[in-house]
């Protein structure tokens, strides 16, 4: 609903943000693939139905102890 000139700037800004998100996703994928432990954990996580790249990467980042601690 923004006027033409402003709308063009908003769309341009959003396109830049989408590009940046895509670049970051690619960089995160490369980091995961370059580390054998992360690669294996990511593979196991993504084998669970409904868990994709974003969820697996988030879990790896937020739970570094994942797969290394017991229930105690």
């Amino acid at each position: 609903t923004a006027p033409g000139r402003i709308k063009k700037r908003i769309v341009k800004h959003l396109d830049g943000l989408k590009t940046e998100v895509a670049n970051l996703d690619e960089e995160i994928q490369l980091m995961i693939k370059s580390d054998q432990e992360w690669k294996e954990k990511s593979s196991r996580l993504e084998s669970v139905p409904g868990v994709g790249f974003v969820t697996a990467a988030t879990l790896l980042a937020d739970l570094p102890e994942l797969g290394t601690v017991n229930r105690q």
Side-chain angles (χ1 to χ4, degrees), residues 11-60:
V11 169
K12 183 178 178 182
H13 186 69
L14 290 174
D15 288 343
L17 290 173
K18 288 176 186 175
T19 300
E20 187 63 25
V21 168
N23 290 341
L24 288 170
D25 281 346
E26 185 177 327
E27 196 170 329
I28 291 167
Q29 284 180 336
L30 289 173
M31 288 178 69
I32 290 172
K33 288 178 182 178
S34 70
D35 184 281
Q36 189 61 32
E37 185 179 347
W38 283 357
K39 188 176 178 180
E40 289 171 6
K41 286 181 181 182
S42 178
S43 228
R44 270 187 262 140
L45 287 168
E46 290 184 45
S47 72
V48 176
V51 175
F53 162 72
V54 174
T55 303
T58 302
L59 289 171
L60 289 172

